[in-house]
Amino acid sequence: MKQLILIFSVIFSIVLSAQSAKDIIDKNIENSGGLTNWKLLNTVQIQGRVTLGVNDSYPIKIYQQRPNLTKTAIVMGGKETPVEGFDGKNGYAMNYAQNKLQQYTDYIPENFDNDFIDWENKGFEAELLGKEKIGEQLYFKVELTKNVNKTIYFFDVKNYMLFREIKKDEILTYSDYRKVGNLLMPYRIESSSPKKDSDYVMMINKIEINKELPKNTFKF
């Protein structure tokens, strides 16, 4: 009888540990606020400071509105200077060689939500690649694939919060999660790239959600 109980205990522990990519993504969404609350998110306003390289540090404001409207502005002398964004039709980015904002008709805006929110309906396939140790911490490693595009996500094995996102040309690392309304959001975002020419660290001091934005917010 003891041996039979031991066998069932082993089988039960294996079943519990046999998590899928879907299980991990679902747990992340649940622990960070729940799918309903993420889908009820319509606007985001971010204030903080971005550091480029070693010494270049600027106050920054970011505005986002569903489905894909966005504007990033540097604040100088109390005045906002847009450096990138999408107005729903065209994209804009600062041409630093000419020191002016340039319009791009082929600009591809990012989705308002992370790809792994409602990922199945977006046509992604998810695969759990196992666990990987980064520093002293262990993370679930999940890959999302759609056509030829692949992104790898690292989720904390203890609380399932997103730690790192590896795209084709950029690595994003998230930390310092804090409660914003019913959601948990990172207040520190670090970006690195193979060429190291666009690396930055963003330290956020304020996030406001679901506030009505002025109609001219995304006018460039």
Side-chain angles (χ1 to χ4, degrees):
M1 178 61 75
K2 288 183 179 180
Q3 186 176 6
L4 187 60
I5 292 173
L6 178 61
I7 291 172
F8 276 116
S9 298
V10 171
I11 293 173
F12 185 66
S13 65
I14 292 173
V15 170
L16 284 180
S17 64
Q19 297 184 85
S20 68
K22 183 180 185 306
D23 294 332
I24 293 162
I25 292 172
D26 287 348
K27 199 68 177 176
N28 165 267
I29 294 172
E30 177 188 343
N31 287 3
S32 62
L35 186 59
T36 298
N37 286 320
W38 280 110
K39 287 189 173 184
L40 288 173
L41 183 64
N42 289 305
T43 67
V44 179
Q45 298 179 67
I46 297 172
Q47 295 182 41
R49 179 171 288 273
V50 63
T51 300
L52 309 171
V54 179
N55 298 317
D56 294 332
S57 181
Y58 306 96
I60 191 172
K61 285 189 176 182
I62 300 173
Y63 303 88
Q64 297 175 331
Q65 182 172 306
R66 196 178 290 279
N68 53 15
L69 302 179
T70 181
K71 182 174 76 175
T72 300
I74 299 295
V75 183
M76 301 291 288
K79 182 181 178 181
E80 295 182 19
T81 302
V83 294
E84 188 172 5
F86 183 72
D87 65 4
K89 185 177 181 181
N90 297 307
Y92 297 81
M94 180 62 71
N95 184 326
Y96 291 98
Q98 300 179 12
N99 196 31
K100 69 176 185 180
L101 202 64
Q102 185 171 332
Q103 178 179 311
Y104 295 88
T105 56
D106 59 347
Y107 186 93
I108 301 176
E110 292 189 3
N111 291 322
F112 184 80
D113 293 319
N114 285 325
D115 286 340
F116 58 80
I117 292 181
D118 215 14
W119 59 274
E120 292 169 295
N121 292 333
K122 293 176 182 174
F124 285 93
E125 293 183 0
E127 181 182 0
L128 176 59
L129 302 180
K131 297 178 183 178
E132 186 169 316
K133 196 172 185 180
I134 301 175
E136 297 299 317
Q137 301 295 322
L138 196 61
Y139 299 92
F140 291 113
K141 186 177 182 181
V142 175
E143 183 180 70
L144 280 190
T145 305
K146 185 176 182 180
N147 300 322
V148 297
N149 298 315
K150 295 185 178 182
T151 303
I152 294 176
Y153 297 93
F154 292 86
F155 299 95
D156 192 303
V157 297
K158 295 179 181 178
N159 58 26
Y160 296 88
M161 299 307 295
L162 177 63
F163 170 69
R164 182 164 290 171
E165 177 180 356
I166 301 180
K167 303 180 179 181
K168 180 181 178 181
D169 299 314
E170 184 181 27
I171 298 174
L172 293 165
T173 302
Y174 306 94
S175 58
D176 190 16
Y177 279 87
R178 305 181 195 176
K179 200 76 176 287
V180 182
N182 294 315
L183 302 172
L184 276 174
M185 294 184 171
Y187 271 63
R188 188 182 192 278
I189 302 173
E190 183 176 347
S191 171
S192 61
S193 60
K195 294 182 179 180
K196 300 296 180 182
D197 56 352
S198 59
D199 293 3
Y200 67 83
V201 175
M202 187 188 306
M203 304 294 292
I204 298 168
N205 54 50
K206 187 178 183 181
I207 300 178
E208 297 176 280
I209 61 174
N210 288 337
K211 293 189 69 175
E212 186 174 354
L213 299 176
K215 292 182 179 180
N216 64 348
T217 298
F218 302 99
K219 185 177 180 180
F220 293 87

